[in-house]
Amino acid sequence: MAMDIIEQDKEFQILANLPGFKKEDIKISLHDNQLMIEASCNEAKEEKQGTMYRCERYSGSYRRNLLLPDNADISKIAAKMEDGVLRLTIPKKEPSPKQEITIE
């Protein structure tokens, strides 16, 4: 699947082309900062014209695995499917303040 990964000031966006797939056909999972996008489709088309009979079948699947950066807030990932494009929005975490350690 063709994919764009865009970094902005406060978030990352992932745009994945999945034309012909329904949102029910797509599975998104997360494990140890790795984002897995899987999509599968089984489609059958039948057409009858006079004595001619034609049947076309399409079956396909995609899988992409992405390693997310440490500053990605994985607890707030949002996903939306529209016009064959899966859009994931991954907010960035606020950087933790620098801590100094005193020597005794």
Side-chain angles (χ1 to χ4, degrees):
M1 82 185 75
M3 187 177 287
D4 294 335
I5 302 172
I6 304 162
E7 180 177 5
Q8 298 178 349
D9 290 338
K10 295 186 178 187
E11 65 187 15
F12 298 97
Q13 284 195 1
I14 298 172
L15 304 171
N17 288 348
L18 291 166
F21 288 85
K22 301 175 194 153
K23 65 181 181 179
E24 296 82 24
D25 299 331
I26 301 168
K27 179 182 173 188
I28 304 167
S29 57
L30 195 60
H31 180 69
D32 291 336
N33 252 26
Q34 288 190 16
L35 181 72
M36 171 97 55
I37 302 171
E38 298 175 276
S40 61
C41 178
N42 291 316
E43 181 180 308
K45 292 181 181 179
E46 295 183 12
E47 184 178 306
K48 291 183 182 181
Q49 282 186 350
T51 59
M52 183 176 156
Y53 183 77
R54 180 175 69 173
C55 181
E56 294 183 4
R57 297 178 190 269
Y58 171 75
S59 171
S61 63
Y62 295 103
R63 178 185 287 176
R64 291 292 296 262
N65 194 14
L66 302 169
L67 182 61
L68 298 177
D70 291 333
N71 66 337
D73 192 350
I74 59 175
S75 65
K76 296 180 181 173
I77 295 176
K80 184 178 183 180
M81 182 74 172
E82 186 175 351
D83 296 329
V85 177
L86 174 66
R87 178 184 300 267
L88 296 172
T89 304
I90 307 166
K92 290 182 179 180
K93 291 180 189 176
E94 292 295 322
S96 54
K98 183 178 171 182
Q99 290 183 337
E100 289 192 25
I101 300 171
T102 22
I103 303 171
E104 293 181 22

